[in-house]
């Protein structure tokens, strides 16, 4: 994405009239629809404009209206009122439905993004190169990037083994991953992210080398044990995941005993610092 489009997206999120809420449970940002509509349409009455758009979308069978939630957001008069909110995907769908010059550059960017994803279906190496370029832009060195890409491949091998054992739902993958993390770190992946002050960012991208090594060890041992014992279903795979995490816990205890300090750090690689 070029800089002017980055600026445009940031303007939507950072404008003082755009109310945005981070939901810890859903791990999603929810954005005030009225605020988005007011900025994009330049309407003097964003609420009335949104009601018209909402009615039209509903008549068209657009799921965006169905996926709207209501949260109490602070109004200009200081009072909290129930307000329609959507996640980021819903935000873009609403922007696409508004005929306004302010939305045109975002629509062009979304169209370009869709075209790029189709290109990646025919040539997956484009996707890999895009990931490498993004990591470089964030300041990661080449050695770290190579290790991270390898880690993504190793993670895929683990999920393939889980799939062979009857694990098919994304929620179950998360449960098994948490079993590994809890054993060696004492925290679920979500708690670990919160400890590091992260939200949507990748946990692995914000670990130091020893943390990554232990995470990799826990998953590699889990994969080997699952390949050997062939557990079936969630409960059997949970027991194997705990054994994999325990192997990483033993390694952690030994390292910390010799280092004289904890391996787990509450900082993150790129110094994220969120304020409410």
């Amino acid at each position: 994405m070029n800089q002017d489009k980055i600026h445009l997206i940031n303007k939507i999120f950072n404008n003082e009239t755009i109310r945005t809420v981070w939901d810890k449970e859903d791990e999603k940002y929810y954005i005030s629809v009225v605020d988005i509509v007011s900025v994009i349409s330049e309407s003097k009455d964003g609420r009335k404009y949104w009601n018209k758009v909402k009615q039209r979308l509903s008549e068209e069978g657009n799921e965006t209206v169905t996926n709207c939630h209501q949260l109490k957001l602070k109004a200009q008069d200081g009072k909290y009122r129930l307000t329609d909110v959507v996640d980021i995907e819903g935000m873009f769908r609403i922007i696409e439905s508004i005929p306004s010059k302010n939305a045109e550059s975002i629509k062009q960017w979304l169209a370009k993004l869709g075209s790029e994803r189709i290109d990646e279906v025919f040539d997956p190496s484009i996707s890999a190169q895009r990931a490498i370029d993004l990591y470089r832009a964030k300041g990661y060195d080449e050695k770290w990037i190579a290790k991270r890409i390898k880690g993504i491949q190793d993670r895929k091998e683990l999920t393939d083994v889980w799939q062979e054992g009857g694990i098919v739902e994304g929620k179950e993958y998360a449960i098994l991953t948490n079993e590994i993390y809890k054993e060696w770190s004492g925290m679920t992946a979500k708690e670990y992210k919160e400890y590091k002050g992260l939200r949507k960012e990748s946990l692995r991208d914000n670990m130091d080398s020893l943390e990554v090594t232990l995470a990799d060890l826990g998953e590699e041992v889990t994969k080997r044990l699952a390949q050997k014992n062939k557990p079936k279903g969630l409960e059997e795979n949970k027991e194997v995941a705990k054994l994999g995490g325990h192997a990483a816990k033993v390694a952690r205890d030994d390292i910390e005993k010799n280092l004289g300090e904890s391996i787990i750090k509450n900082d993150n690689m790129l110094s994220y610092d969120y304020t409410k």
Side-chain angles (χ1 to χ4, degrees):
M1 193 193 313
N2 57 33
Q3 289 302 311
D4 61 334
K5 289 186 174 63
I6 290 175
H7 176 72
L8 182 57
I9 297 295
N10 284 341
K11 180 181 178 183
I12 292 175
F13 280 95
N14 294 334
N15 189 297
E16 62 180 2
T17 62
I18 301 294
R19 291 167 292 174
T20 306
V21 178
W22 170 251
D23 190 303
K24 291 173 63 175
E25 296 302 317
D26 291 347
E27 293 190 310
K28 281 185 176 183
Y29 283 105
Y30 286 104
I31 305 101
S32 167
V33 179
V34 172
D35 295 350
I36 297 167
V37 169
S38 297
V39 171
I40 296 298
S41 68
E42 296 183 324
S43 171
K44 294 181 179 179
D45 191 338
R47 193 171 299 279
K48 183 180 290 186
Y49 191 100
W50 165 232
N51 286 335
K52 291 181 179 179
V53 173
K54 183 161 55 172
Q55 182 179 356
R56 174 168 57 81
L57 292 177
S58 181
E59 291 171 353
E60 294 173 354
N62 192 309
E63 293 182 357
T64 305
V65 176
T66 307
N67 293 332
C68 271
H69 300 276
Q70 282 200 326
L71 295 176
K72 281 192 174 182
L73 301 183
K74 191 175 183 179
Q76 290 183 346
D77 61 6
K79 295 181 179 180
Y80 284 83
R81 295 185 177 88
L82 283 174
T83 307
D84 285 343
V85 296
V86 288
D87 60 15
I88 292 177
E89 180 181 351
M91 180 196 74
F92 282 126
R93 294 198 66 182
I94 288 171
I95 290 173
E96 287 178 314
S97 70
I98 298 175
S100 168
K101 67 180 186 301
N102 293 337
E104 189 56 33
S105 56
I106 299 177
K107 293 177 182 179
Q108 291 175 2
W109 172 68
L110 290 172
K112 185 174 184 297
L113 197 62
S115 176
E116 289 172 351
R117 293 299 177 271
I118 291 174
D119 290 341
E120 290 169 6
V121 172
F122 292 101
D123 184 359
S125 67
I126 297 174
S127 177
Q129 186 58 55
R130 181 168 57 88
I132 292 171
D133 290 342
L134 284 171
Y135 279 127
R136 285 172 176 165
K138 287 186 175 184
Y140 291 99
D141 62 47
E142 297 300 315
K143 186 176 179 180
W144 186 97
I145 294 172
K147 187 175 181 180
R148 182 70 177 97
I149 298 300
K150 177 63 167 58
I152 294 172
Q153 183 180 6
D154 292 341
R155 169 71 182 181
K156 181 62 171 61
E157 291 178 359
L158 172 60
T159 57
D160 286 344
V161 172
W162 280 341
Q163 191 171 27
E164 291 172 4
I167 304 302
V168 293
E169 295 184 12
K171 185 176 181 180
E172 292 181 331
Y173 290 125
I175 290 171
L176 295 176
T177 300
N178 280 333
E179 292 297 332
I180 298 172
Y181 273 100
K182 284 190 294 185
E183 283 295 316
W184 73 264
S185 73
M187 295 179 281
T188 64
K190 182 178 179 180
E191 291 167 343
Y192 207 154
K193 288 178 72 172
E194 291 178 355
Y195 181 67
K196 284 183 170 290
L198 305 172
R199 289 184 178 175
K200 296 291 286 184
E201 298 81 15
S202 165
L203 177 57
R204 292 289 185 100
D205 288 357
N206 289 279
M207 290 178 169
D208 75 7
S209 58
L210 278 177
E211 288 175 295
V212 171
T213 297
L214 291 174
D216 288 344
L217 176 61
E219 293 194 348
E220 182 65 23
V221 173
T222 299
K223 182 187 74 175
R224 299 286 185 93
L225 289 173
Q227 287 173 329
K228 181 177 180 179
N229 299 316
K230 302 190 183 306
K232 296 296 181 183
L234 181 60
E235 293 306 315
E236 289 186 13
N237 274 285
K238 281 173 67 175
E239 293 304 314
V240 172
K242 289 178 182 178
L243 292 174
H246 180 71
K249 176 65 164 60
V250 172
R252 176 191 170 186
D253 290 343
D254 188 58
I255 295 170
E256 290 182 342
K257 180 180 177 181
N258 288 288
L259 280 178
E261 63 183 37
S262 175
I263 287 174
I264 296 178
K265 308 295 183 184
N266 65 354
D267 55 354
N268 53 65
M269 295 292 286
L270 299 179
S271 301
Y272 293 109
D273 184 18
Y274 288 104
T275 57
K276 291 187 179 180

